[in-house]
Amino acid sequence: PTMVDGAVAYDGSKVYKDSKLCNVLFCREAKKRLPNVDVRSLNPGFIPTSGLFRAPREDNFFGATAFAFFAGLAGFAVPIDVGGERLAYVATSDDVPRGAYLSAETGSKAATYAEGFDDGLISPEGQDEALAARLWDRSRELVG
């Protein structure tokens, strides 16, 4: 199998979504297991012009490029610099509490709490403590 769920066919979109889920789960578990380490996670927003949008571009370059352009015009895509500002804020601000998960409304350019980049909603799967513990344990097995 190529995919974590046992599927054989590679699905770039699912890989991306699963990686984001793993980031949230790992952060939540790290907060419990590493009380002296400051951990946080974030949703930087939909950034189709980044290298992370490469699978759709490889599948259909013109369609993905047009989609990214119109997503920007429609206001639901976020420029790369906003994603970078959000990452820097979460990593360095004393205002962001340990274990926080920050996000913003779709299309928002907010990059701080004051601007509206704040506590995000976490899916039920992202709140699954047993799944977080299994991810932690399996990660530990894999990296030693």
Side-chain angles (χ1 to χ4, degrees):
T2 302
M3 302 290 290
V4 133
D5 63 3
V8 175
Y10 177 81
D11 181 344
S13 179
K14 179 152 178 29
V15 167
Y16 179 78
K17 292 172 190 172
D18 286 351
S19 74
K20 300 301 107 188
L21 172 63
C22 288
N23 287 342
V24 171
L25 290 168
F26 200 85
C27 178
R28 292 170 62 85
E29 191 66 15
K31 180 182 175 187
K32 283 196 251 176
R33 294 192 188 212
L34 304 171
N36 297 321
V37 176
D38 194 7
V39 293
R40 304 163 179 166
S41 59
L42 75 147
N43 170 8
F46 178 59
I47 310 173
T49 55
S50 76
L52 297 175
F53 205 64
R54 68 184 165 270
R57 267 196 296 279
E58 289 170 4
D59 293 341
N60 180 349
F61 176 79
F62 293 109
T65 302
F67 175 77
F69 176 74
F70 288 111
L73 286 179
F76 63 87
V78 176
I80 290 173
D81 60 325
V82 172
E85 289 173 25
R86 290 172 174 175
L87 175 59
Y89 177 71
V90 169
T92 62
S93 176
D94 291 334
D95 295 336
V96 181
R98 184 175 177 278
Y101 169 72
L102 271 59
S103 188
E105 294 294 321
T106 300
S108 168
K109 306 298 186 275
T112 66
Y113 272 124
E115 297 169 351
F117 185 58
D118 55 19
D119 299 329
L121 298 175
I122 298 175
S123 70
E125 193 174 20
Q127 296 177 47
D128 185 332
E129 293 190 22
L131 184 59
R134 285 197 325 266
L135 172 65
W136 183 277
D137 293 339
R138 183 65 178 133
S139 299
R140 192 168 175 190
E141 288 172 19
L142 291 170
V143 298

